[in-house]
């Protein structure tokens, strides 16, 4: 009984803090992009004010909308985005969990429930899907066009994502996120594998922006042509739900990619486990920040919107072929395994 | 209500103006004036908006649309009229296709005069729009 209570408390706690940090990262995004454009920018806590305001506003349900689908989509998007937090391992919990990590490694990571990659990818898809359903249900031509674009974009970027996940699962022989977190792929692959995973990591960084429908792949939410696109008819509380879901998804996606490709901590630098945990947390937030900086903030400040067919072609042709090359190298590595250590040593790199 | 003051989302509607005021509104978003530092954001749909920023005199065709956009905006909402034309029909006073200033059709909270007004004036007008909320609060008392 107390076990269930502990899990519930842990889940609610991690969701609460997850939402707070997601919104802070969103504020950081707005501030930094403003600074890059030589503007002063809103304060970092601006997303909290936006949410507070949206919750106070009237929630209009348009006459042409189907009310239960229209409202349900907003709640569904938020719920599935929040559910992501309990499955993603954030950082190494180490001996603080009181478990022997060599016997039961699951207890040493920060995911509350043992999830796997497939489940998390489906949950990641849900907010976009809810937006599509809500867009169609709102009975507005703008929202319908936005929903169609969102679907086209989803169909384009999912393939490279799936290839990267499959490559990791192929090497580690598991989809379990805890196992992937505890066994970084870089340690178990040879020369070809290292090159392949580096390519797949770059592909994943590239896929972050369309997954979140951010500039330059924000054709579904185009404010200038589509009046807000899928969200055109949403107001008040429902819009606030989508707002939170969007911020949460950005944070969760970046944490997931870090868990897949760069789960290393820095707790070996200090002796005490609690200090190590704090260091690990700070290092984790730094990693998320860097990933967002290069995949979202710089891109948003530098590029204009792509047309939907340009974005779709980019992912279905170029990014997909690059990720297939990565997968090919990873599979080749399991056939011709060349140990990278002697090569690195001959180059003078000491590990 | 404090939050509303600091996170004003603006929808911009031209009811038949000459585009002069619209260019000044865009100038208010540039790095020199930067509306976003007050949390003011331009949005694409009236459903997301707190403030309607209306420019231009109301033409016959826009009358219906203006009323509809006002009805589509969720409460609490404020209306700011930018420029002389929207406030008093301006140079279009005797035009055959102009049916009136904005306040003939929707309640207006703030008038920003000028042809066109300076971006500072527009920012001041939008930031002043929350006085309507103060008024509403006093009425409740």
């Amino acid at each position: 009984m107390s076990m269930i209570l502990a899990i519930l408390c842990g889940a609610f706690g991690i969701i609460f803090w997850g939402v707070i940090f997601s919104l802070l990262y969103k504020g950081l995004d707005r501030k930094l992009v403003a600074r890059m454009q030589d503007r002063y920018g809103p304060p970092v806590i601006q997303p909290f004010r936006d949410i507070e305001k949206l919750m106070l506003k009237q929630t209009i349900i348009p006459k042409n909308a189907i009310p239960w689908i229209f409202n349900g989509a907003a709640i569904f998007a938020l719920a599935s985005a929040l559910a992501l937090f309990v499955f993603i391992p954030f950082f190494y919990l180490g001996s603080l969990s009181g478990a022997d990590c060599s016997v039961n490694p699951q207890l040493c990571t920060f995911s509350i429930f043992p999830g796997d990659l497939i489940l998390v990818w489906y949950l990641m898809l849900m907010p976009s899907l809810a937006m599509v359903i809500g867009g169609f249900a709102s009975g507005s031509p703008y929202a319908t066009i936005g929903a169609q674009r969102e679907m086209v974009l989803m169909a384009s970027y999912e393939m490279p994502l799936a290839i990267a996940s499959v490559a990791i699962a192929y090497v580690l022989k598991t989809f379990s996120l805890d196992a992937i977190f505890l066994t970084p792929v870089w340690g178990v692959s040879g020369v070809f594998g290292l090159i392949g995973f580096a390519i797949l990591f770059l592909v994943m960084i590239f896929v972050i922006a369309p997954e979140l429908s951010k500039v330059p792949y924000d054709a579904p939410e185009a404010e200038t042509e589509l009046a807000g696109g899928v969200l055109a008819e949403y107001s008040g509380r429902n819009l606030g739900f989508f707002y939170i879901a969007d911020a949460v998804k950005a944070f969760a996606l970046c944490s997931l990619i870090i868990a897949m490709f760069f789960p290393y901590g820095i707790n070996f630098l200090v002796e005490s486990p609690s200090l190590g945990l704090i260091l690990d947390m700070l290092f984790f937030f730094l990693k998320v920040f860097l990933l967002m900086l290069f995949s979202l903030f710089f891109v948003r400040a530098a590029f204009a919107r792509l047309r939907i067919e340009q974005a779709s072609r980019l992912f279905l042709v170029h990014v997909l072929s690059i990720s297939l090359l990565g997968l090919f190298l990873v599979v080749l590595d399991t056939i011709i395994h060349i140990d990278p250590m002697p090569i690195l040593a001959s180059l003078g790199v000491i590990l | 209500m404090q939050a509303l003051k600091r996170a004003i989302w603006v929808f911009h509607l031209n009811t038949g103006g000459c585009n002069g005021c619209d260019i000044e509104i865009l100038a208010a978003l540039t790095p020199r004036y930067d509306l976003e530092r007050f949390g003011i954001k331009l949005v694409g749909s009236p459903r997301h908006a707190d403030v309607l920023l209306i420019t231009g005199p109301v033409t016959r065709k826009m009358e219906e649309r203006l009323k509809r956009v006002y009805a589509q905006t969720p409460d609490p909402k404020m209306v700011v009229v930018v420029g002389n034309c929207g406030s008093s029909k301006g140079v279009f006073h005797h035009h055959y296709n102009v049916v009136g200033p904005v306040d003939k059709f929707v309640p207006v909270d703030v008038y920003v005069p000028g042809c066109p007004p300076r971006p500072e004036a527009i920012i001041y007008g939008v930031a002043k729009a929350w006085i309507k909320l103060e008024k509403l609060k006093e009425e409740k008392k």
Side-chain angles (χ1 to χ4, degrees), chain A residues 224-265:
Chain A
T224 37
E225 336 140 26
L226 284 186
V230 255
L231 300 177
E233 293 293 329
Y234 277 99
S235 58
R237 205 182 56 235
N238 283 340
L239 187 62
F241 287 166
F242 276 119
Y243 192 103
I244 301 174
D246 177 57
V248 163
K249 217 178 121 180
F251 183 62
L253 182 62
C254 287
S255 333
L256 178 64
I257 290 176
I258 283 165
M260 280 165 72
F261 284 100
F262 201 75
Y264 302 100

Side-chain angles (χ1 to χ4, degrees), chain A residues 261-318:
Chain A
F261 284 100
F262 201 75
Y264 302 100
I266 49 168
N267 57 0
F268 56 84
L269 291 177
V270 286
E271 285 293 315
S272 94
S274 51
L275 196 63
L277 182 68
I278 292 168
L279 269 182
D280 261 4
M281 279 166 83
L282 291 176
F283 188 56
F284 166 77
F285 289 125
L286 180 72
K287 282 189 287 188
V288 171
F289 173 71
L290 285 178
L291 192 57
M292 281 192 179
L293 186 69
F294 286 105
S295 64
L296 292 175
F297 303 171
F298 280 154
V299 176
R300 189 156 92 88
F303 290 100
R305 184 183 305 137
L306 289 176
R307 285 201 308 273
I308 185 68
E309 116 274 351
Q310 288 171 328
S312 187
R313 183 174 303 123
L314 180 68
F315 282 96
L316 279 180
V317 178
H318 302 99

